[in-house]
Protein backbone atom coordinates (compact mmCIF):
# COMPACT_ATOMS: atom_id res chain seq x y z
CA UNK A 1 0.00 0.00 0.00
CA UNK A 2 1.13 3.54 -0.54
CA UNK A 3 -0.35 6.93 0.18
CA UNK A 4 -2.00 8.02 3.41
CA UNK A 5 -3.23 11.14 1.71
CA UNK A 6 -1.40 13.61 3.97
CA UNK A 7 -0.23 16.94 2.49
CA UNK A 8 3.59 17.11 2.44
CA UNK A 9 3.52 20.27 4.52
CA UNK A 10 2.03 18.40 7.46
CA UNK A 11 4.90 15.94 7.84
CA UNK A 12 6.92 16.74 10.92
CA UNK A 13 10.67 16.98 11.10
CA UNK A 14 12.59 14.07 12.50
CA UNK A 15 12.52 14.40 16.29
CA UNK A 16 14.81 13.38 19.07
CA UNK A 17 13.23 9.94 19.15
CA UNK A 18 14.08 9.31 15.52
CA UNK A 19 17.66 10.38 16.17
CA UNK A 20 17.90 7.92 19.04
CA UNK A 21 16.67 5.17 16.78
CA UNK A 22 19.25 6.01 14.15
CA UNK A 23 22.00 5.89 16.78
CA UNK A 24 20.76 2.52 17.95
CA UNK A 25 20.86 1.20 14.43
CA UNK A 26 24.44 2.37 13.95
CA UNK A 27 25.33 0.65 17.20
CA UNK A 28 23.99 -2.60 15.79
CA UNK A 29 20.86 -2.86 17.94
CA UNK A 30 18.60 -3.89 15.07
CA UNK A 31 18.27 -7.56 14.36
CA UNK A 32 19.14 -8.78 10.87
CA UNK A 33 16.15 -8.73 8.60
CA UNK A 34 16.69 -12.35 7.67
CA UNK A 35 16.32 -13.63 11.25
CA UNK A 36 12.96 -15.18 12.00
CA UNK A 37 11.15 -15.58 15.28
CA UNK A 38 9.75 -18.91 16.43
CA UNK A 39 6.25 -19.07 15.01
CA UNK A 40 3.10 -19.80 16.94
CA UNK A 41 -0.53 -20.64 16.55
CA UNK A 42 -0.28 -22.81 13.42
CA UNK A 43 -0.34 -26.61 13.37
CA UNK A 44 3.10 -28.17 13.28
CA UNK A 45 4.93 -24.97 14.16
CA UNK A 46 6.92 -24.27 17.29
CA UNK A 47 5.31 -22.22 20.05
CA UNK A 48 6.87 -18.85 20.91
CA UNK A 49 9.15 -18.63 23.92
CA UNK A 50 7.30 -15.60 25.27
CA UNK A 51 4.00 -17.34 25.96
CA UNK A 52 2.18 -14.60 24.03
CA UNK A 53 0.10 -17.11 22.08
CA UNK A 54 -1.83 -17.89 25.23
CA UNK A 55 -3.27 -14.41 25.44
CA UNK A 56 -7.04 -14.30 25.15
CA UNK A 57 -8.70 -11.72 22.93
CA UNK A 58 -10.19 -8.90 24.99
CA UNK A 59 -13.91 -9.36 25.57
CA UNK A 60 -14.61 -5.72 26.23
CA UNK A 61 -13.11 -2.38 25.36
CA UNK A 62 -12.95 1.04 26.94
CA UNK A 63 -16.14 2.29 28.53
CA UNK A 64 -18.41 4.30 26.33
CA UNK A 65 -17.45 2.40 23.18
CA UNK A 66 -20.08 2.94 20.45
CA UNK A 67 -22.51 0.16 19.62
CA UNK A 68 -21.73 -2.22 16.71
CA UNK A 69 -23.16 -1.43 13.31
CA UNK A 70 -26.35 -3.37 12.74
CA UNK A 71 -26.18 -6.63 10.82
CA UNK A 72 -22.38 -6.74 10.80
CA UNK A 73 -21.82 -9.88 12.86
CA UNK A 74 -22.99 -13.46 12.57
CA UNK A 75 -22.79 -16.68 14.61
CA UNK A 76 -19.62 -18.76 14.38
CA UNK A 77 -19.34 -21.03 11.36
CA UNK A 78 -21.51 -24.13 11.87
CA UNK A 79 -19.71 -27.44 12.08
CA UNK A 80 -16.45 -25.99 13.36
CA UNK A 81 -14.50 -28.41 15.52
CA UNK A 82 -13.71 -27.65 19.16
CA UNK A 83 -15.51 -25.34 21.59
CA UNK A 84 -17.82 -22.73 20.12
CA UNK A 85 -16.22 -19.29 19.83
CA UNK A 86 -17.93 -15.96 20.00
CA UNK A 87 -17.99 -13.99 16.75
CA UNK A 88 -15.15 -11.55 16.20
CA UNK A 89 -15.88 -7.86 16.86
CA UNK A 90 -18.07 -6.20 14.26
CA UNK A 91 -17.56 -2.74 12.74
CA UNK A 92 -18.43 0.06 15.16
CA UNK A 93 -20.09 3.32 14.35
CA UNK A 94 -18.51 6.43 15.88
CA UNK A 95 -21.19 9.14 15.96
CA UNK A 96 -20.03 12.53 14.82
CA UNK A 97 -17.06 11.19 12.86
CA UNK A 98 -16.84 11.20 9.06
CA UNK A 99 -16.63 8.06 6.97
CA UNK A 100 -12.87 8.32 6.47
CA UNK A 101 -10.90 8.28 9.72
CA UNK A 102 -7.14 8.90 9.59
CA UNK A 103 -6.21 9.40 13.25
CA UNK A 104 -7.55 9.30 16.78
CA UNK A 105 -7.70 11.90 19.56
CA UNK A 106 -4.55 14.02 19.79
CA UNK A 107 -4.89 14.58 23.53
CA UNK A 108 -4.52 10.93 24.60
CA UNK A 109 -1.19 9.00 24.63
CA UNK A 110 -2.32 6.22 22.30
CA UNK A 111 -1.41 5.12 18.78
CA UNK A 112 -2.68 2.37 16.47
CA UNK A 113 -0.33 0.15 14.47
CA UNK A 114 -2.27 -1.10 11.45
CA UNK A 115 -0.90 -3.80 9.16
CA UNK A 116 -1.74 -4.88 5.62
CA UNK A 117 -2.43 -8.60 6.03
CA UNK A 118 -0.59 -10.31 3.19
CA UNK A 119 2.85 -11.76 2.45
CA UNK A 120 4.94 -14.44 4.16
CA UNK A 121 2.84 -16.08 6.92
CA UNK A 122 5.92 -16.94 8.99
CA UNK A 123 6.97 -13.29 8.97
CA UNK A 124 3.42 -12.33 9.90
CA UNK A 125 3.57 -14.64 12.91
CA UNK A 126 6.93 -13.21 13.92
CA UNK A 127 5.54 -9.67 13.71
CA UNK A 128 2.55 -10.59 15.86
CA UNK A 129 4.80 -12.25 18.45
CA UNK A 130 7.02 -9.17 18.69
CA UNK A 131 4.01 -6.91 19.15
CA UNK A 132 2.59 -9.19 21.84
CA UNK A 133 5.86 -9.29 23.78
CA UNK A 134 5.75 -5.50 23.92
CA UNK A 135 2.12 -5.52 25.08
CA UNK A 136 0.89 -3.97 21.83
CA UNK A 137 -2.52 -4.72 20.35
CA UNK A 138 -2.68 -4.09 16.61
CA UNK A 139 -5.14 -4.03 13.73
CA UNK A 140 -4.61 -6.30 10.72
CA UNK A 141 -6.43 -5.42 7.49
CA UNK A 142 -6.31 -8.74 5.66
CA UNK A 143 -6.47 -9.46 1.94
CA UNK A 144 -9.08 -12.14 1.27
CA UNK A 145 -6.91 -14.35 -0.93
CA UNK A 146 -4.21 -14.30 1.77
CA UNK A 147 -6.74 -15.64 4.27
CA UNK A 148 -7.87 -18.21 1.71
CA UNK A 149 -4.31 -19.59 1.63
CA UNK A 150 -3.76 -19.25 5.38
CA UNK A 151 -7.21 -19.40 7.05
CA UNK A 152 -5.73 -20.30 10.45
CA UNK A 153 -4.16 -16.84 10.65
CA UNK A 154 -7.57 -15.22 11.15
CA UNK A 155 -8.05 -16.82 14.57
CA UNK A 156 -4.36 -16.48 15.41
CA UNK A 157 -4.68 -12.72 15.01
CA UNK A 158 -7.83 -12.54 17.12
CA UNK A 159 -6.53 -14.92 19.79
CA UNK A 160 -3.51 -12.64 20.23
CA UNK A 161 -5.78 -9.81 21.37
CA UNK A 162 -5.66 -7.97 18.03
CA UNK A 163 -8.45 -7.02 15.64
CA UNK A 164 -9.04 -8.07 12.06
CA UNK A 165 -10.41 -6.10 9.14
CA UNK A 166 -11.06 -6.10 5.39
CA UNK A 167 -8.42 -5.02 2.84
CA UNK A 168 -10.37 -6.28 -0.22
CA UNK A 169 -10.33 -9.74 -1.73
CA UNK A 170 -7.51 -9.44 -4.29
CA UNK A 171 -5.77 -6.15 -3.37
CA UNK A 172 -6.75 -4.57 -6.68
CA UNK A 173 -6.90 -0.85 -7.42
CA UNK A 174 -10.51 -0.07 -6.52
CA UNK A 175 -10.35 3.28 -8.31
CA UNK A 176 -9.71 1.46 -11.60
CA UNK A 177 -12.75 -0.82 -11.24
CA UNK A 178 -16.36 -0.29 -12.11
CA UNK A 179 -18.92 0.02 -9.34
CA UNK A 180 -20.06 -3.61 -9.33
CA UNK A 181 -16.51 -4.99 -9.49
CA UNK A 182 -15.31 -2.67 -6.74
CA UNK A 183 -18.20 -3.66 -4.51
CA UNK A 184 -17.49 -7.34 -5.07
CA UNK A 185 -13.86 -6.83 -4.00
CA UNK A 186 -15.12 -5.47 -0.67
CA UNK A 187 -18.02 -7.89 -0.26
CA UNK A 188 -16.02 -11.02 -1.14
CA UNK A 189 -13.47 -10.32 1.58
CA UNK A 190 -16.31 -9.53 4.00
CA UNK A 191 -17.93 -12.89 3.26
CA UNK A 192 -14.63 -14.69 3.81
CA UNK A 193 -14.07 -12.94 7.14
CA UNK A 194 -17.60 -13.82 8.23
CA UNK A 195 -17.06 -17.51 7.39
CA UNK A 196 -13.78 -17.60 9.31
CA UNK A 197 -14.65 -15.46 12.33
CA UNK A 198 -18.40 -14.82 12.41
CA UNK A 199 -17.95 -11.13 11.56
CA UNK A 200 -17.15 -9.03 8.48
CA UNK A 201 -14.24 -7.57 10.44
CA UNK A 202 -13.81 -4.44 12.53
CA UNK A 203 -12.66 -2.08 9.75
CA UNK A 204 -12.37 -1.67 6.00
CA UNK A 205 -9.33 -0.18 4.28
CA UNK A 206 -9.31 0.20 0.47
CA UNK A 207 -6.53 -0.99 -1.80
CA UNK A 208 -3.95 -0.24 -2.95
CA UNK A 209 -3.92 3.10 -1.06
CA UNK A 210 -5.77 4.28 2.04
CA UNK A 211 -7.58 6.94 0.01
CA UNK A 212 -11.24 6.19 -0.60
CA UNK A 213 -13.27 7.98 -3.24
CA UNK A 214 -16.87 8.95 -2.42
CA UNK A 215 -17.97 5.89 -4.43
CA UNK A 216 -15.73 3.53 -2.43
CA UNK A 217 -16.96 5.07 0.83
CA UNK A 218 -20.54 4.44 -0.26
CA UNK A 219 -19.75 0.85 -1.27
CA UNK A 220 -18.02 0.23 2.06
CA UNK A 221 -21.10 1.42 3.95
CA UNK A 222 -23.24 -0.83 1.78
CA UNK A 223 -21.03 -3.80 2.74
CA UNK A 224 -21.48 -3.04 6.45
CA UNK A 225 -18.56 -0.72 7.30
CA UNK A 226 -19.61 2.65 8.76
CA UNK A 227 -16.05 4.00 8.44
CA UNK A 228 -13.00 3.63 6.20
CA UNK A 229 -9.70 3.38 8.08
CA UNK A 230 -7.00 5.61 6.61
CA UNK A 231 -3.74 6.67 8.33
CA UNK A 232 -1.67 9.73 9.14
CA UNK A 233 1.72 7.97 9.30
CA UNK A 234 2.79 5.84 6.35
CA UNK A 235 5.88 3.72 6.99
CA UNK A 236 6.74 3.22 3.30
CA UNK A 237 8.02 -0.21 4.32
CA UNK A 238 6.66 -1.68 1.09
CA UNK A 239 9.52 0.08 -0.73
CA UNK A 240 12.15 0.06 2.04
CA UNK A 241 15.21 -2.19 2.13
CA UNK A 242 16.76 -0.82 5.34
CA UNK A 243 15.40 -0.84 8.87
CA UNK A 244 16.62 2.73 9.40
CA UNK A 245 14.38 3.97 6.58
CA UNK A 246 11.29 2.59 8.29
CA UNK A 247 12.15 3.67 11.83
CA UNK A 248 13.13 7.21 10.85
CA UNK A 249 9.99 7.69 8.78
CA UNK A 250 7.63 6.48 11.50
CA UNK A 251 9.44 8.03 14.49
CA UNK A 252 9.64 11.39 12.75
CA UNK A 253 5.85 11.63 12.30
CA UNK A 254 4.48 9.66 15.27
CA UNK A 255 2.39 11.57 17.82
CA UNK A 256 -0.68 11.16 20.02
CA UNK A 257 -3.53 9.58 18.10
CA UNK A 258 -1.46 8.44 15.11
CA UNK A 259 -2.64 5.59 12.90
CA UNK A 260 0.50 3.98 11.44
CA UNK A 261 0.33 1.96 8.22
CA UNK A 262 2.71 -1.03 8.05
CA UNK A 263 3.08 -4.33 6.20
CA UNK A 264 2.66 -7.57 8.14
CA UNK A 265 4.70 -9.95 5.99
CA UNK A 266 7.87 -8.03 5.06
CA UNK A 267 11.33 -8.80 6.54
CA UNK A 268 12.27 -5.14 6.95
CA UNK A 269 9.10 -4.46 8.93
CA UNK A 270 9.63 -7.41 11.28
CA UNK A 271 13.23 -6.26 11.86
CA UNK A 272 12.11 -2.69 12.56
CA UNK A 273 9.35 -3.56 15.02
CA UNK A 274 11.48 -3.92 18.20
CA UNK A 275 12.89 -0.42 17.72
CA UNK A 276 9.53 1.08 16.82
CA UNK A 277 7.84 -0.54 19.82
CA UNK A 278 10.65 0.61 22.12
CA UNK A 279 10.28 4.17 20.82
CA UNK A 280 6.54 4.09 21.38
CA UNK A 281 7.14 3.03 24.97
CA UNK A 282 9.90 5.59 25.48
CA UNK A 283 7.47 8.36 24.54
CA UNK A 284 4.90 7.10 27.01
CA UNK A 285 2.50 6.01 24.26
CA UNK A 286 0.37 2.87 24.24
CA UNK A 287 -0.18 0.80 21.07
CA UNK A 288 -3.86 -0.18 20.90
CA UNK A 289 -6.25 -1.40 18.23
CA UNK A 290 -7.85 1.14 15.93
CA UNK A 291 -11.20 0.62 17.63
CA UNK A 292 -9.65 1.28 21.04
CA UNK A 293 -7.90 4.35 19.65
CA UNK A 294 -11.15 5.91 18.47
CA UNK A 295 -13.09 5.14 21.65
CA UNK A 296 -13.06 7.98 24.15
CA UNK A 297 -15.33 9.77 26.65
CA UNK A 298 -18.37 11.52 25.22
CA UNK A 299 -16.77 14.90 25.85
CA UNK A 300 -14.43 14.54 22.87
CA UNK A 301 -14.03 12.82 19.55
CA UNK A 302 -11.42 11.69 17.09
CA UNK A 303 -10.82 13.71 13.97
CA UNK A 304 -9.84 13.04 10.41
CA UNK A 305 -6.44 14.05 9.08
CA UNK A 306 -5.95 16.26 6.06
Amino acid sequence: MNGCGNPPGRRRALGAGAGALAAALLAGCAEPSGRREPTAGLPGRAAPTSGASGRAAPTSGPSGRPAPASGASAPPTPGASGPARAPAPAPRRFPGLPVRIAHGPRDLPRVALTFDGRGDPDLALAALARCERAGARVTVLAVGTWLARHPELARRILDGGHELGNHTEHHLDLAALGESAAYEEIAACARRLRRLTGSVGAWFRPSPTTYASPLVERLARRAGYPHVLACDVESLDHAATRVASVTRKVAGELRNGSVVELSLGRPVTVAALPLLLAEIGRRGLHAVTATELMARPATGAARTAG
Side-chain angles (χ1 to χ4, degrees):
M1 173 173 297
N2 46 45
C4 286
N6 289 330
R10 295 192 60 177
R11 294 188 174 174
R12 303 179 60 171
L14 177 64
L21 286 177
L25 289 166
L26 293 175
C29 292
E31 297 184 49
S33 60
R35 182 181 300 173
R36 291 190 178 180
E37 300 267 328
T39 55
L42 299 184
R45 288 179 174 154
T49 57
S50 65
S53 62
R55 289 175 54 186
T59 57
S60 62
S63 61
R65 178 178 288 179
S70 61
S73 62
T77 304
S81 60
R85 283 170 161 167
R92 296 183 181 274
R93 190 182 309 278
F94 295 93
L97 298 186
V99 175
R100 180 180 180 269
I101 299 178
H103 67 75
R106 295 299 194 193
D107 58 343
L108 297 177
R110 303 183 299 191
V111 297
L113 302 182
T114 66
F115 292 84
D116 293 359
R118 57 194 182 111
D120 187 330
D122 289 332
L123 289 173
L125 289 167
L128 292 172
R130 291 187 174 192
C131 290
E132 289 159 7
R133 279 204 297 276
R137 295 183 298 277
V138 305
T139 300
V140 178
L141 292 309
V143 174
T145 53
W146 185 68
L147 289 177
R149 292 190 297 271
H150 313 291
E152 65 279 5
L153 286 177
R155 275 294 168 185
R156 169 61 185 87
I157 291 165
L158 296 171
D159 289 346
H162 315 294
E163 67 180 356
L164 189 61
N166 180 335
H167 194 36
T168 74
E169 181 70 2
H170 297 95
H171 203 256
L172 301 178
D173 184 355
L174 294 186
L177 302 177
E179 180 173 346
S180 61
Y183 177 74
E184 182 58 21
E185 273 294 300
I186 303 170
C189 187
R191 291 193 298 269
R192 189 179 302 282
L193 286 166
R194 189 189 294 275
R195 288 195 299 271
L196 291 172
T197 71
S199 163
V200 299
W203 293 91
F204 167 70
R205 173 174 283 170
S207 61
T209 76
T210 62
Y211 171 75
S213 67
L215 172 61
V216 170
E217 290 181 354
R218 178 167 60 82
L219 296 178
R221 291 196 300 272
R222 177 179 159 196
Y225 302 96
H227 302 285
V228 173
L229 185 62
C231 68
D232 66 331
V233 178
E234 187 185 10
S235 67
L236 300 180
D237 59 354
H238 63 279
T241 57
R242 298 174 60 246
V243 168
S245 300
V246 177
T247 55
R248 287 184 182 127
K249 178 68 167 61
V250 174
E253 300 176 17
L254 190 72
R255 55 180 172 145
N256 285 9
S258 283
V259 175
V260 184
E261 186 269 341
L262 296 153
S263 300
L264 192 62
R266 290 186 57 81
V268 69
T269 310
V270 176
L273 274 174
L275 287 171
L276 291 177
L277 292 165
E279 178 65 10
I280 288 170
R282 189 191 70 79
R283 297 188 189 186
L285 300 172
H286 304 281
V288 298
T289 66
T291 297
E292 291 171 326
L293 181 69
M294 303 306 161
R296 62 168 302 154
T299 55
R303 299 172 297 176
T304 58

